[in-house]
Amino acid sequence: VAKPSYGSKWGIVGGKLEARESPLQALLREVHEETTLRMEADRLRNLGMVYVRYRNPLLDFCFHMYEYTFADKPTIVLDPQEHIAYCWVTLPDALRLELIPGEAQCITMMYQVEIASA
C-alpha cells in the first residue's frame, strides 16, 4: 500500500527515473530503496512499456514493466516513508484490490488477465 499520493491504494513498487538513469537502473534502485531487495539485472525480463493517463491531476506516465522470478519468497523490509503494507497475490487477485490509477491496465495489458474474470 502506497503512502503519500494514493495512501489507501495498492500498487507495484515503482518510481521516477533520475537524471541519466535507464529504466532498468531505476527499477533496481527503486526496488532496493522501497523493499531492501536486490535483484540481478540479467534475470529481469523486459515486458515493454504501458502509457497511462491520470485524470486528476492530469498527468501522463510511461510505465516500463519488468518481470522477475525469485527462487523463494524473499524477506521484505518496507521503507515506511513509501509504503505501509505489502502482500503476495495472484494477478487475478491483484485486480480485486483497490489499485492506484493505471495499475489494472498494466496488469491486464502485460499478462492478458481479463478484468471481467477477476
Side-chain angles (χ1 to χ4, degrees):
V1 176
K3 249 180 127 176
S5 55
Y6 291 98
S8 64
K9 310 273 186 198
W10 290 91
I12 296 170
V13 172
K16 296 179 181 144
L17 288 118
E18 293 182 352
R20 294 184 290 283
E21 186 176 53
S22 73
L24 179 59
Q25 291 168 325
L27 167 74
L28 296 171
R29 176 185 51 75
E30 286 285 350
V31 168
H32 181 66
E33 286 175 1
E34 296 182 23
T35 68
T36 69
L37 292 176
R38 293 216 183 264
M39 297 187 298
E40 299 166 42
D42 61 340
R43 292 186 50 213
L44 283 156
R45 185 168 74 105
N46 187 338
L47 300 176
M49 292 185 293
V50 175
Y51 296 95
V52 175
R53 171 167 280 178
Y54 284 13
R55 300 268 182 233
N56 190 15
L58 184 59
L59 296 169
D60 291 328
F61 287 90
C62 176
F63 290 150
H64 297 270
M65 307 289 292
Y66 291 86
E67 180 179 75
Y68 190 87
T69 303
F70 293 96
D72 298 301
K73 241 186 226 180
T75 300
I76 305 293
V77 179
L78 294 177
D79 177 345
Q81 300 300 314
E82 299 277 348
H83 302 281
I84 57 173
Y86 78 94
C87 64
W88 297 101
V89 295
T90 65
L91 293 171
D93 287 344
L95 293 172
R96 291 184 185 97
L97 297 172
E98 195 171 341
L99 300 171
I100 63 171
E103 200 76 29
Q105 292 92 322
C106 290
I107 292 169
T108 57
M109 289 175 78
M110 290 295 115
Y111 293 100
Q112 292 81 47
V113 177
E114 292 293 325
I115 292 177
S117 69

